Amino acid sequence: MLDGASAWQLIMNGDAVLFAIVRLSLAISLSAVALAAIIGLPLGALLALLRFPGRNAIVVLVNAFMGLPPVVVGLAVYLLLSRSGPLGELGVLFTPGAMVIAQAILIVPIIAALTRQTIEDLWIEYRDELSAMDVGPFGRITTLLWDARFSLLTALLAGFGRAAAEVGAVMIVGGNIDGFTRTMTTAIALETSKGNLPLALGLGMILVAIVLAINAAAWGARVWSERQAG
């Protein structure tokens, strides 16, 4: 109870260390979601609309990669970005950029798989109309992605949830450097091991509050769009 009270005091007093970690975590996770959305949304739409040899294998692969072990992704990104790796010259290992890359790799399959399912369902409704209008593949993809934008928020939120809660991969490629690459999850793990429970609890409370707030906003947007559509 005392640790919980102390954690609440840290939040209410605007503890500088605590909120610096929160800001960095949000910046990294939101950047990873944006990068993954640029790749995952079109990829999911392509898999939903196009039929080509090997498509089923790619669908199975994307679905399987939704459960990628974070430590394996962290190790792969580390090998790519390390000084002796093929991308070592970029010098981004142990920086927030490396953490964004690792998180994006983890959530691209989630966004792509959920987008494919959403677009496939919508295509049943739109197929006759778009075919009659002779809309090409690019036009079909952009139309369906736009009209499904509120439903696709769920895919983006699922990706954000995975990114924000990630520990293993970001620890490997970020190094958990104080004031530079220390995120909420890595800080919680570290402070708990040190016995600094108020800070760990404070970060945990903020992390849960952020996830709840974003999900509530997305749910509200979806309900509003459904009412507008009648």
Side-chain angles (χ1 to χ4, degrees), residues 18-141:
L18 184 146
F19 282 98
I21 294 172
V22 172
R23 283 194 296 271
L24 178 62
S25 298
L26 288 177
I28 291 173
S29 297
L30 291 174
S31 298
V33 171
L35 178 60
I38 292 172
I39 301 170
L41 291 176
L43 175 60
L46 285 171
L47 291 174
L49 298 180
L50 301 184
R51 296 294 181 269
F52 53 88
R55 173 188 173 276
N56 290 338
I58 296 176
V59 170
V60 171
L61 200 63
V62 169
N63 290 339
F65 280 1
M66 292 175 68
L68 270 175
V71 290
V72 174
V73 173
L75 177 61
V77 175
Y78 178 88
L79 294 174
L80 283 174
L81 300 180
S82 65
R83 185 169 298 178
S84 58
L87 301 179
E89 293 184 356
L90 297 177
V92 296
L93 189 62
F94 301 131
T95 68
M99 300 165 78
V100 170
I101 293 171
Q103 287 190 353
I105 291 174
L106 282 171
I107 59 180
V108 161
I110 296 173
I111 293 176
L114 295 178
T115 300
R116 181 190 62 78
Q117 187 61 57
T118 301
I119 298 300
E120 275 188 353
D121 294 342
L122 195 61
W123 175 238
I124 296 173
E125 180 182 344
Y126 280 57
R127 178 170 49 200
D128 293 341
E129 184 179 354
L130 293 179
S131 298
M133 295 171 65
D134 197 24
V135 177
F138 180 76
R140 294 177 181 182
I141 289 173

Side-chain angles (χ1 to χ4, degrees), residues 81-211:
L81 300 180
S82 65
R83 185 169 298 178
S84 58
L87 301 179
E89 293 184 356
L90 297 177
V92 296
L93 189 62
F94 301 131
T95 68
M99 300 165 78
V100 170
I101 293 171
Q103 287 190 353
I105 291 174
L106 282 171
I107 59 180
V108 161
I110 296 173
I111 293 176
L114 295 178
T115 300
R116 181 190 62 78
Q117 187 61 57
T118 301
I119 298 300
E120 275 188 353
D121 294 342
L122 195 61
W123 175 238
I124 296 173
E125 180 182 344
Y126 280 57
R127 178 170 49 200
D128 293 341
E129 184 179 354
L130 293 179
S131 298
M133 295 171 65
D134 197 24
V135 177
F138 180 76
R140 294 177 181 182
I141 289 173
T142 53
T143 299
L144 292 172
L145 284 176
W146 176 254
D147 285 3
R149 59 190 182 281
F150 291 109
S151 297
L152 292 176
L153 278 175
T154 304
L156 299 181
L157 285 172
F160 176 80
R162 177 76 186 270
E166 213 297 296
V167 182
V170 295
M171 186 85 80
I172 293 174
V173 303
N176 200 18
I177 302 170
D178 186 18
F180 187 54
T181 60
R182 184 163 295 170
T183 63
M184 284 188 280
T185 52
T186 59
I188 289 172
L190 177 67
E191 300 301 333
T192 300
S193 67
K194 292 164 57 179
N196 187 6
L197 296 183
L199 181 55
L201 282 171
L203 290 168
M205 292 163 65
I206 291 176
L207 181 58
V208 172
I210 289 171
V211 172

